[in-house]
Amino acid sequence: MPVPKKKNSFVRENARDRILHQLYQWLIDGTLKPEERIYDEELSEYFNVSRTPVREALQVLSQKHLVEVLPSKCTRVAPITIEETQQTFPLYADLHCLALKFAFPHVDDKFIKHLEELNHKLMKAFSSQSSQAIQSADRDFHWAIIDLANNKYLSGMIEELEIHIYRAENYFFAYKERSLQSVSDHQKIIRALSEKNLQEATELMYQNWLLNYQGLLESIK
């Protein structure tokens, strides 16, 4: 397992959560690739901790179906399959649509302007050709709506699925390879919200996520 040579500053306090946070990042950015073996002794050395918090973090990832613990064999990163994508992506899209419905009563001119600024940020990110910047800007747009919905249970469910979505997208196609279709989709969503058309905005939100879903299915095949 290739672990970055440069070590981040690491505090022993709350070791499991800190390890977990770093493993999330590695799963998303592709440092840890699907089906790659994971060695707890290597991780414990990297983080300068005992194997206990490492194994605890891996157990959490196993419960979230991000890591597979194969008894008497090995621990490895969970593969990305068509079945997983078919189960997670439509659900993720539906949750974003639900967030939009919760947020809708609170949408005002100030929020519309905020979404326009975030979408402009996304357009600039595409120009930079930075996958990380594009992903961050796209996330900021969608999370502005989720935050406005102000439903901690819904936010929690979206966060649970988010890592599955991002690691699949990052593994099969870079964000910088995506077209500016996403910016256009966002602009249509903004227009529908400004016109107080919830049905159209919801349909557009689902279509926005469906574009990536279809691309992923084609890539996995």
Side-chain angles (χ1 to χ4, degrees), residues 170-185:
N170 285 339
Y171 184 71
F172 285 103
F173 53 87
Y175 270 76
K176 63 185 178 183
E177 294 173 355
R178 291 166 54 188
S179 69
L180 288 172
Q181 181 64 44
S182 185
V183 174
S184 176
D185 287 348

Side-chain angles (χ1 to χ4, degrees), residues 124-150:
K124 289 180 65 177
F126 274 107
S127 300
S128 73
Q129 292 292 295
S130 166
S131 296
Q132 184 177 1
I134 294 169
Q135 185 182 67
S136 177
D138 187 63
R139 187 181 189 276
D140 286 347
F141 178 89
H142 288 285
W143 271 90
I145 296 171
I146 296 167
D147 288 340
L148 188 66
N150 194 30

Side-chain angles (χ1 to χ4, degrees), residues 76-141:
R76 68 174 189 175
V77 178
I80 300 172
T81 64
I82 289 178
E83 291 74 21
E84 178 192 271
T85 303
Q86 289 173 330
Q87 290 180 13
T88 57
F89 229 101
L91 178 58
Y92 190 68
D94 281 334
L95 290 174
H96 276 272
C97 291
L98 187 58
L100 186 60
K101 292 177 182 178
F102 276 109
F104 186 73
H106 309 292
V107 173
D108 55 19
D109 291 342
K110 182 179 179 180
F111 184 71
I112 293 295
K113 183 178 179 181
H114 180 51
L115 286 183
E116 289 174 341
E117 291 171 349
L118 291 174
N119 202 34
H120 182 68
K121 177 184 174 183
L122 176 59
M123 185 170 62
K124 289 180 65 177
F126 274 107
S127 300
S128 73
Q129 292 292 295
S130 166
S131 296
Q132 184 177 1
I134 294 169
Q135 185 182 67
S136 177
D138 187 63
R139 187 181 189 276
D140 286 347
F141 178 89

Side-chain angles (χ1 to χ4, degrees), residues 28-86:
I28 290 173
D29 67 24
T31 299
L32 293 176
K33 296 179 173 54
E35 301 187 58
E36 183 174 344
R37 292 187 66 168
I38 299 174
Y39 302 95
D40 54 7
E41 64 271 20
E42 188 177 359
L43 289 175
S44 64
E45 182 180 347
Y46 175 82
F47 291 111
N48 194 27
V49 296
S50 70
R51 293 188 184 182
T52 299
V54 170
R55 288 171 176 169
E56 289 174 350
L58 291 175
Q59 184 61 34
V60 172
L61 293 178
S62 175
Q63 292 169 353
K64 295 179 182 294
H65 309 292
L66 293 164
V67 161
E68 293 181 339
V69 179
L70 307 178
S72 303
K73 291 185 179 181
C74 67
T75 299
R76 68 174 189 175
V77 178
I80 300 172
T81 64
I82 289 178
E83 291 74 21
E84 178 192 271
T85 303
Q86 289 173 330

